[in-house]
Amino acid sequence: MSIAALLIAGLPVRAEDVTESQILKALSAPSTMPLAAPRTRGLSLGQPARPDAATATASANPDEAFIDSLRNRNSRSLSVGDREKLVAVAANKPAIDLEMEFDYNSDTLRGPALETANKLGKALSSPELRGQTFAITGHTDAKGTDQVNQGLSERRAEAVKSFLVSRYGIPASNLITAGYGKARLKNASAPFAKENRRVQAVNMLQVKTAGR
């Protein structure tokens, strides 16, 4: 299967295969989905009507308020409800799963994991994606206890966020982190497979304004 097919299928991409341009393409909003539009990824027939200011105010998107409430929060502070709601809000938005081979029980970025983080940083700091809000979520395989894997996935998501902030100058408030441990296996039929050990980036299609 080609890399383009992997991206379309939502399958994890190996660090040595994925490129900055592929990450950029996967996380870019489709031309039919402007940032200010309701957050659905389906195709639309014709041009959507432009709402006036009163209509826009009356139909304020509660999902935006939820995402704003997660800004500048550590992943460990999110409740189970917060994490599940983030999954729902992120559904059908541009996303990419990236395999990140951390050392055992480690959240240190090095080797292939560092290489992947660099490619992600270059894509997120590009003119096309700069200023948008992204969810960075950590996932483990099924080895170990729920508690250990939950904490490990949170630390790894935070490690990627810290790297993106320090190395690429991405505002911390534009990166929402969460850990899911082994609760959301990519390959449930092979729970110990390496494709389950991944970091997912999701473009939340929400630009952080000066008032947020």
Side-chain angles (χ1 to χ4, degrees):
M1 184 180 290
S2 67
I3 299 302
L6 287 172
L7 292 173
I8 294 171
L11 297 175
V13 181
R14 293 181 301 172
E16 62 268 30
D17 290 336
V18 71
T19 66
E20 173 192 344
S21 62
Q22 288 162 349
I23 296 175
L24 176 61
K25 182 177 181 180
L27 293 178
S28 294
S31 59
T32 55
M33 189 195 299
L35 292 178
R39 286 153 173 74
T40 59
R41 200 173 182 177
L43 295 175
S44 59
L45 299 177
Q47 294 296 321
R50 184 183 299 276
D52 56 30
T55 302
T57 300
S59 59
N61 192 334
D63 290 346
E64 293 185 357
F66 171 69
I67 294 300
D68 284 344
S69 75
L70 301 183
R71 297 182 190 275
N72 298 312
R73 287 179 59 182
N74 188 286
S75 58
R76 289 188 295 275
S77 72
L78 271 61
S79 67
V80 174
D82 288 335
R83 295 196 298 269
E84 290 307 309
K85 184 170 183 179
L86 181 59
V87 170
V89 174
N92 300 318
K93 291 182 171 60
I96 185 168
D97 281 339
L98 298 166
E99 286 184 11
M100 284 201 170
E101 286 295 322
F102 289 88
D103 290 340
Y104 177 73
N105 200 31
S106 171
D107 57 14
T108 300
L109 284 167
R110 68 188 191 94
L114 179 59
E115 180 182 353
T116 302
N118 269 306
K119 293 172 183 176
L120 179 61
K122 291 175 182 177
L124 298 193
S125 58
S126 67
E128 294 89 342
L129 296 179
R130 186 179 300 129
Q132 297 182 37
T133 301
F134 298 90
I136 305 294
T137 63
H139 304 264
T140 69
D141 62 23
K143 295 177 184 176
T145 67
D146 291 343
Q147 182 177 6
V148 168
N149 281 300
Q150 179 62 37
L152 185 59
S153 65
E154 291 170 349
R155 298 201 314 270
R156 288 176 174 174
E158 290 294 332
V160 173
K161 175 181 178 177
S162 296
F163 174 79
L164 296 174
V165 171
S166 62
R167 176 67 177 83
Y168 290 94
I170 299 172
S173 57
N174 287 356
L175 300 173
I176 309 297
T177 54
Y180 291 91
K182 59 180 180 179
R184 301 186 63 81
L185 296 175
K186 189 72 177 181
N187 186 354
S189 63
F192 304 138
K194 70 176 185 177
E195 58 261 35
N196 292 312
R197 303 190 293 272
R198 70 197 192 278
V199 168
Q200 184 184 65
V202 184
N203 185 346
M204 302 306 294
L205 301 176
Q206 183 171 327
V207 176
K208 182 177 183 296
T209 65
R212 289 176 179 159

